[in-house]
């Protein structure tokens, strides 16, 4: 329900209507397992929560086509930091979401590996980690293909590279770091459970 409310709010007076619709192709993919689980209720809470939070982050990013999410203004308005804290022109929201892709989706992928593929704990941890890396790479290849087939300004708008030629590599590295944290946590949990 919260996801639907956030999605509806982001469509009020859209800033980039054409680009926002294109961005929501990913939202539809994320919603499929969530809607399915609402009917079946088989997903662990950590997996459902991670998938839900990532979907909300993506919906917010889609409204502002990632490159223009006013996160710095939001944080400054809370009084936590002053405006001078955020230096430079780059909007780092997309980098944050790539990190969270690895971190928040890991429990869901782990669930799929254990329940659907029936992998043991250690193998499921490794496969989940590898699936996150593969998903991150496939997404970056998709963005590259957009640059080949779309008008340059449309591709730049969707991809959110913001002039960084190493954007794809940095995004994949952040997904790797994000997925490594829960992988180590699951591994330690499994290790200490055996003793």
């Amino acid at each position: 329900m919260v996801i639907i409310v956030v999605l509806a709010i982001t469509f009020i007076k859209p800033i980039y209507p054409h680009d926002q619709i294109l961005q929501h192709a990913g939202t539809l993919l994320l919603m499929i397992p969530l809607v399915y689980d609402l009917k079946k209720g088989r997903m662990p809470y950590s997996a459902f929560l991670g998938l839900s939070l990532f979907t909300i982050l993506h919906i917010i990013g889609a409204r502002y086509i990632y490159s223009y999410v006013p996160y710095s203004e939001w944080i400054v308005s809370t009084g936590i930091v002053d405006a001078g804290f955020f230096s430079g022109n780059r909007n780092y929201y997309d980098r944050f979401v790539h990190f969270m892709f690895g971190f928040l989706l890991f429990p869901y992928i782990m669930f799929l590996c254990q329940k659907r593929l029936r992998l043991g704990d250690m193998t499921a941890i490794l496969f989940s980690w590898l699936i996150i890396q593969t998903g991150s790479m496939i997404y970056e290849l998709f963005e590259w293909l957009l640059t080949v087939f779309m008008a340059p300004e449309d591709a730049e708008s969707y991809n959110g590279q913001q002039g960084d030629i190493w954007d794809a590599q940095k995004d994949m590295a952040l997904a790797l770091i994000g997925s490594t944290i829960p992988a180590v946590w699951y591994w330690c949990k499994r290790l200490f459970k055996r003793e």
Side-chain angles (χ1 to χ4, degrees):
M1 186 63 169
V2 173
I3 293 173
I4 301 300
V5 170
V6 172
L7 183 63
I9 290 169
T10 64
F11 272 99
I12 296 171
K13 295 183 182 176
I15 306 164
Y16 310 98
H18 171 68
D19 296 320
Q20 185 176 353
I21 298 293
L22 180 60
Q23 292 279 350
H24 280 302
T27 306
L28 292 174
L29 290 175
L30 290 166
M31 295 285 284
I32 292 169
L34 289 171
V35 170
Y36 179 77
D37 193 64
L38 286 174
K39 293 182 177 183
K40 302 291 184 182
R42 297 181 181 158
M43 199 183 302
Y45 181 73
S46 61
F48 189 85
L49 181 64
L51 195 54
S52 298
L53 289 174
F54 183 76
T55 303
I56 290 169
L57 290 174
H58 175 69
I59 290 168
I60 293 167
R63 173 169 174 82
Y64 297 97
I65 60 171
Y66 281 91
S67 297
Y68 306 106
V69 176
Y71 68 92
S72 57
E73 290 87 349
W74 296 340
I75 295 171
V76 168
S77 71
T78 65
I80 296 171
V81 297
D82 63 10
F85 180 79
F86 297 100
S87 59
N89 294 330
R90 187 166 207 318
N91 188 299
Y92 287 99
Y93 187 81
D94 70 315
R95 296 267 164 84
F96 172 70
V97 172
H98 280 279
F99 173 82
M100 296 310 276
F101 170 77
F103 187 78
L104 292 174
L105 292 188
F106 193 92
Y108 175 67
I109 302 297
M110 181 82 173
F111 162 73
L112 291 179
C113 286
Q114 289 178 315
K115 299 302 177 199
R116 300 285 184 239
L117 300 179
R118 306 211 183 275
L119 300 176
D121 289 345
M122 299 307 276
T123 307
I125 292 167
L126 176 62
F127 269 61
S128 299
W129 187 83
L130 292 171
I131 289 168
I132 295 284
Q133 307 335 306
T134 304
S136 179
M137 178 199 63
I138 289 170
Y139 182 77
E140 294 302 328
L141 289 173
F142 168 72
E143 282 191 342
W144 169 71
L145 281 174
L146 285 179
T147 65
V148 173
F149 295 108
M150 292 177 78
E153 60 278 354
D154 290 338
E156 174 64 28
S157 175
Y158 180 85
N159 290 346
Q161 289 176 292
Q162 301 178 63
D164 186 354
I165 62 168
W166 300 106
D167 183 66
Q169 291 83 350
K170 290 174 184 175
D171 290 348
M172 288 187 293
L174 285 165
L176 184 144
I177 293 166
S179 63
T180 300
I181 294 168
V184 169
W185 185 82
Y186 276 101
W187 181 77
C188 289
K189 184 178 168 185
R190 174 68 176 142
L191 188 67
F192 292 118
K193 187 178 178 183
R194 296 174 97 180
E195 294 178 359

